[in-house]
Amino acid sequence: MELDALILSRLQFAFVVSFHILFPAFTIGLAAFLAVCEGLWLWTKRDVFKRLYLHWIKIFALAFAMGVVSGVVMSYQFGTNWSVFSDKAGSVIGPLLGYEVLTAFFLEATFLGVMLFGWKRVGNKLHFIATCAVAFGTTISAFWILSANSWMQTPVGFATDPETGNFYATDWWAVIFNPSFPSRYVHMMLAAFITTAAVVMAAGAWQVIRKHSSEPTRWQIRMAAGTLTLLMPLQIWAGHWSGEVAHEYQPAKVAAMEGWWETRDVQGTTLFAIPDEENERNIAELTIPGTSPYLFAGAEGPLKGLKDFAEEDRPPVFIVFWAFRIMVGAGLGMLLLGIWGAVLWWRNRIDKPGVFHMLAVPGGALGFIAVLTGWISAEVGRQPYTVYGFLRTEDSVAPVTTGQVATSLLIFMIVYAIVFTAGTVYMARIATRGFGDDPTDPPEREHRAPGSPLGSVDDKAEMPTPDPKPAE
Amino acid sequence: MELDLPLIWSFLIATAVMLYVLLDGMDLGIGILTGLAKDDDERNLMTATIEPVWDGNETWLILGGGGLFAAFPLAYAILMPALYLPVLLMLAALIFRGVAFEFRHKAVRKPTRLFWNGAFFGGSLAAALAQGLILGGFIQGVTVEGRSFAGGPLDWLTPFSLLVAVSVAIGYVLLGACWLILKTEGEVQKRARKRALMALIAVGVCFAAVSLATLSIDPRVTERWGFSMAHMELGKLLPLSPIPIFGLVMVILAARDLMLHVHAPDWRPYLFSVGIFLSGFLGLAVSLFPNLVPFEVTVWEAAARDNALGLMLVGAAIMLPVILIYTAYVYSLFWGKVDPEEAYHD
């Protein structure tokens, strides 16, 4: 394979989007977790939820900052590397992305300031509203992004300009709520909650192992185990729903995910195989035959295999096939951890170090692995198109030189390696250290001692100070 | 009456970019100024003045860029590949600036803290310069064939774009220093005043140089302002002259406040420096309108379909006032001098 601007642009896009998606997946869930904690604190007046909030908000601040900076990169990739796509599809997906900025980004970014620094300046209720605004903003943001992404997967409600060949919308409702959008949105939101729950559980388990556990630790494992136990079954259902939609609109993707080469009326479920694209077959295949009628309830007639698609219309089979299997495996792992945790909760053994805790620590990565591989199987499965069936990836790329893209890809790799390694270390440090050295109350306004190095400031001359809130 | 949607959207995006320049420009200016901070305390105080709002400020960049993509996909498709390397530099720099904001407080050991302090300063400076290169490359125009960019990867690199880059960075420093005057007291404020004055002098020189250089970029610009080889058309120049005169008056007023130490309210230098930027922005708009890719593609040629612009206009008409209201609310919430203890150090 020749390393030209096209393949490098694809690598670069895959690289930056893969990094970026981890942060929204985490912050969507964490924002909801924080809102729940703060809400529970205000409602039950129990200290433990306030401490959870004050602990996890620090991690949230870091994750959010990394999500923002990697997201800014994403929003400019369309222009720098995929300018022909931008020109052709801009009139359809541009407004969706525009709405994301207008309805979500400002809400999140603005109220994050109140969430992090507003304790002394607003009352508890207003602070809670700010937390909810940020959490709400993250879900709206996901709504528009997934709408745009889903339209690229299952494009409807548009026509083509005869003069320029550009797409334009004929039915906005159909564009926004395109066929794969509902299932994809539910699948992604659940993935975000689950990913966060796995991380929260891992941090708690680590605290238990290191004997740092306290009441907040117990609650954080309980809440995470409960979330996983309740949401993982829902997620399996949502994933299946997504699969059925893909089966209807993107049969080549499903064939690649399942490793089907031949077209048959009844297909099996392949557990293990090494797809051999050159010879159009699977090596070392382990398949449960005859399962498709149970899995694809709506499917009638023959189920298409890859051989039924022209070679240049097939997605890269190996990547899609294995990404899909890793995603499913990671999901099952989290289901198991959730149930196990719930059982320990019931038996009151959640803070006794054991095998569960040893497994839950690495299990914190399972959500990220599932999100990443799920994203890969969806996006690589869309290949060789950017707008499925209508615009090929090779016809979407910008007129930039190989040297330019190679330079930018190298720079992104170096920058991301430094930034995201450091960020992960800082987040892990906070997450694992327990609640011992956390402040037990939101920071109150402290008056500066006279003669502090920052000069002769008269405290009385300052702006009127809002009354410190009584600590709960 | 038929709405001229492309015209409305060019105005909205210009406003978003202007707001970005004023708001995040000030953040970047403060980032550059942290390079001159006496110690960590001063540095923390400087960043504390923007901590609660910088995220929101940066969002205007996404609205500017995303809005250009959404409303004028053709201009976006031409300009981004043309300015590939400066855009990349800006993004990498903004990554460092953005995370360093948080990481500075998390680094435990001295070398890592120094690294993130450096990343904050360097990222801010590089982002400011890159934005100047983008602006310069944009003003001087790009080579277009059909519907795409057809020039070389380094076309943007000219003495003109370098001049604009330096000017933008110095302008940001002015905004940042004036913001510090507004938000701090005592020694820190005194130093900010000195730096603001130096930046103001440099801004006066740079903006004049950029204005003159812009006039010579293309005969169409020169003509717009009423200049030509042989004579001056006062009929064209006079109606436009309030723009540079306004900028000059702002420079003089700001200089008076900063030099004479008159007991002016602390917000006045900031207001005047905003005025300087506004005059520069208006001057640029007058020079280039209606080109969106200068001298090649107009606002109307680059626009997305009317139904896309219309759909977004509904959203913008509802959401922009809401955004402005809650942004103003958050700014007012954090109004007043910044309390050194209020910044979080964790």
Side-chain angles (χ1 to χ4, degrees):
Chain A
M1 192 159 37
E2 201 192 336
L3 285 182
D4 54 7
L6 171 65
I7 190 78
L8 286 173
S9 288
R10 286 180 64 185
L11 278 174
Q12 178 168 313
F13 198 81
F15 181 74
V16 295
V17 79
S18 298
F19 262 98
H20 176 61
I21 195 173
L22 299 176
F23 293 99
F26 186 39
T27 48
I28 290 169
L30 203 49
F33 178 63
L34 288 172
V36 168
C37 286
E38 193 173 20
L40 282 173
W41 166 44
L42 293 178
W43 183 39
T44 65
K45 308 259 185 294
R46 286 185 61 174
D47 219 37
V48 57
F49 296 115
K50 177 181 67 189
R51 293 184 65 191
L52 276 173
Y53 183 92
L54 293 173
H55 184 74
W56 284 95
I57 194 175
K58 294 178 201 153
I59 295 165
F60 182 74
L62 288 173
F64 194 90
M66 289 189 273
V68 168
V69 294
S70 57
V72 176
V73 173
M74 281 308 307
S75 72
Y76 280 84
Q77 290 279 304
F78 288 124
T80 51
N81 294 76
W82 304 100
S83 63
V84 178
F85 166 80
S86 297
D87 180 25
K88 289 215 177 308
S91 280
V92 180
I93 69 166
L96 308 184
L97 302 179
Y99 264 84
E100 182 191 19
V101 184
L102 287 170
T103 57
F105 280 176
F106 280 106
L107 193 70
E108 294 171 61
T110 309
F111 282 97
L112 180 73
V114 182
M115 208 174 152
L116 290 172
F117 303 101
W119 281 111
K120 282 148 280 184
R121 299 187 175 242
V122 297
N124 285 347
K125 294 222 171 68
L126 256 178
H127 192 274
F128 178 53
I129 289 173
T131 308
C132 291
V134 172
F136 186 54
T138 60
T139 64
I140 305 175
S141 178
F143 176 95
W144 292 112
I145 275 294
L146 283 162
S147 175
N149 174 263
S150 300
W151 182 81
M152 290 164 68
Q153 301 266 0
T154 51
V156 291
F158 72 100
T160 311
D161 187 311
E163 211 175 296
T164 57
N166 287 1
F167 305 128
Y168 63 92
T170 50
D171 178 355
W172 282 110
W173 193 259
V175 168
I176 296 170
F177 294 96
N178 59 76
S180 67
F181 168 68
S183 57
R184 200 183 291 277
Y185 183 58
V186 172
H187 199 39
M188 183 68 211
M189 291 305 288
L190 286 170
F193 297 141
I194 287 164
T195 300
T196 307
V199 174
V200 168
M201 182 186 255
W206 180 254
Q207 290 156 16
V208 169
I209 293 172
R210 297 298 303 264
K211 309 244 187 308
H212 288 156
S213 74
S214 55
E215 210 201 348
T217 305
R218 287 191 287 278
W219 269 104
Q220 102 179 31
I221 304 180
R222 285 173 196 159
M223 288 166 85
T227 306
L228 287 179
T229 313
L230 289 177
L231 295 190
M232 260 322 297
L234 270 180
Q235 179 68 323
I236 291 168
W237 163 79
H240 186 245
W241 178 20
S242 256
E244 289 203 323
V245 174
H247 171 67
E248 192 173 339
Y249 292 90
Q250 300 172 298
K253 182 199 275 189
V254 172
M257 278 178 175
E258 300 284 353
W260 296 338
W261 289 102
E262 309 292 338
T263 299
R264 295 195 180 102
D265 279 336
V266 174
Q267 299 270 18
T269 300
T270 302
L271 299 178
F272 182 94
I274 299 167
D276 173 5
E277 289 172 56
E278 217 159 287
N279 299 313
E280 302 187 325
R281 68 195 172 102
N282 292 331
I283 303 168
E285 193 179 62
L286 177 66
T287 298
I288 309 171
T291 49
S292 65
Y294 309 102
L295 291 177
F296 292 95
E300 274 167 33
L303 294 166
K304 269 188 161 186
L306 287 158
K307 282 185 180 171
D308 250 13
F309 299 92
E311 213 164 319
E312 67 273 14
D313 293 342
R314 293 177 199 162
V317 181
F318 185 86
I319 300 175
V320 176
F321 181 86
W322 273 104
F324 177 68
R325 264 150 201 75
I326 296 170
M327 174 193 76
V328 172
L332 293 176
M334 286 186 288
L335 175 65
L336 196 73
L337 279 176
I339 295 172
W340 196 346
V343 169
L344 291 181
W345 178 5
W346 188 51
R347 294 173 54 194
N348 231 344
R349 296 189 56 82
I350 213 144
D351 56 352
K352 310 278 187 298
V355 182
F356 165 76
H357 300 85
M358 308 289 270
L359 289 176
V361 171
L366 285 177
F368 293 117
I369 292 170
V371 164
L372 207 54
T373 48
W375 192 254
I376 289 170
S377 58
E379 298 306 294
V380 177
R382 190 193 61 214
Q383 297 301 329
Y385 297 100
T386 46
V387 179
Y388 199 76
F390 293 92
L391 181 63
R392 282 177 181 271
T393 309
E394 63 197 39
D395 300 327
S396 307
V397 74
V400 285
T401 62
T402 308
Q404 275 174 301
V405 191
T407 311
S408 62
L409 179 57
L410 191 70
I411 291 177
F412 277 127
M413 284 163 79
I414 295 169
V415 169
Y416 277 39
I418 298 171
V419 165
F420 295 114
T421 310
T424 311
V425 169
Y426 293 141
M427 286 197 289
R429 197 187 281 161
I430 301 169
T432 53
R433 77 178 169 208
F435 293 79
D437 37 354
D438 272 2
T440 48
D441 281 304
E444 292 295 343
R445 171 171 284 265
E446 291 168 46
H447 287 274
R448 198 160 57 253
S452 69
L454 285 159
S456 51
V457 184
D458 184 3
D459 272 330
K460 285 181 220 106
E462 277 187 316
M463 53 159 292
T465 308
D467 286 338
K469 302 173 299 291
E472 291 288 349
Chain B
M1 190 189 76
E2 192 76 10
L3 286 176
D4 190 341
L5 288 167
L7 194 64
I8 294 172
W9 270 104
S10 62
F11 174 76
L12 283 177
I13 288 167
T15 308
V17 171
M18 186 67 218
L19 279 169
Y20 172 77
V21 165
L22 291 178
L23 295 171
D24 204 38
M26 148 191 119
D27 300 342
L28 293 172
I30 286 171
I32 297 170
L33 284 168
T34 59
L36 301 170
K38 189 175 57 128
D39 53 24
D40 254 4
D41 277 340
E42 180 174 357
R43 193 171 290 119
N44 287 338
L45 192 67
M46 288 164 105
T47 53
T49 64
I50 45 171
E51 247 160 12
V53 291
W54 79 271
D55 249 329
N57 294 346
E58 193 174 79
T59 310
W60 292 99
L61 178 67
I62 307 184
L63 186 62
L68 187 65
F69 171 41
F72 302 101
L74 180 59
Y76 192 70
I78 292 171
L79 288 171
M80 288 297 139
L83 301 166
Y84 192 90
L85 291 172
V87 167
L88 167 85
L89 174 66
M90 175 185 81
L91 294 174
L94 286 178
I95 290 179
F96 273 111
R97 191 278 300 254
V99 298
F101 220 111
E102 293 289 333
F103 291 1
R104 286 177 57 240
H105 301 296
K106 311 288 176 199
V108 185
R109 287 176 306 124
K110 200 166 178 219
T112 41
R113 207 173 59 237
L114 285 178
F115 177 80
W116 290 119
N117 281 341
F120 186 58
F121 161 74
S124 301
L125 180 61
L129 291 172
Q131 286 173 5
L133 289 175
I134 292 169
L135 177 64
F138 164 75
I139 297 173
Q140 72 194 17
V142 302
T143 315
V144 178
E145 255 170 47
R147 296 180 73 84
S148 45
F149 170 64
L154 293 177
D155 281 4
W156 49 271
L157 188 61
T158 59
F160 176 74
S161 67
L162 290 173
L163 172 67
V164 177
V166 172
S167 307
V168 166
I170 293 174
Y172 284 177
V173 168
L174 175 67
L175 282 173
C178 289
W179 181 252
L180 288 178
I181 295 173
L182 172 60
K183 296 293 281 186
T184 62
E185 295 161 305
E187 282 299 310
V188 177
Q189 190 191 37
K190 225 184 246 171
R191 272 200 291 281
R193 247 178 219 286
K194 268 190 214 149
R195 280 162 198 162
L197 183 59
M198 288 194 290
L200 179 71
I201 296 166
V203 161
V205 175
C206 284
F207 277 33
V210 170
S211 305
L212 292 177
T214 306
L215 281 180
S216 63
I217 276 281
D218 191 282
R220 280 163 282 193
V221 180
T222 329
E223 212 212 327
R224 174 77 44 91
W225 289 89
F227 296 101
S228 64
M229 291 305 277
H231 64 294
M232 237 165 65
E233 275 181 71
L234 285 179
K236 278 183 179 170
L237 181 59
L238 277 183
L240 295 177
S241 60
I243 298 173
I245 290 173
F246 173 71
L248 195 64
V249 169
M250 287 290 124
V251 171
I252 293 167
L253 286 176
R256 199 184 67 129
D257 271 4
L258 292 170
M259 265 196 300
L260 300 179
H261 295 284
V262 275
H263 282 282
D266 289 342
W267 49 261
R268 257 189 13 200
Y270 185 74
L271 193 72
F272 294 143
S273 53
V274 168
I276 297 170
F277 267 86
L278 276 180
S279 105
F281 208 76
L282 277 177
L284 199 60
V286 166
S287 303
L288 300 181
F289 186 82
N291 292 295
L292 203 56
V293 178
F295 323 121
E296 292 283 353
V297 182
T298 67
V299 164
W300 295 279
E301 287 161 353
R305 280 271 173 157
D306 265 6
N307 72 350
L309 296 178
L311 177 73
M312 284 193 294
L313 192 60
V314 174
I318 298 168
M319 287 313 297
L320 277 180
V322 175
I323 291 169
L324 288 172
I325 287 169
Y326 65 58
T327 303
Y329 166 72
V330 170
Y331 265 89
S332 72
L333 201 61
F334 293 96
W335 194 249
K337 299 292 179 187
V338 62
D339 179 346
E341 294 300 327
E342 199 171 329
Y344 78 137
H345 312 271
D346 188 51

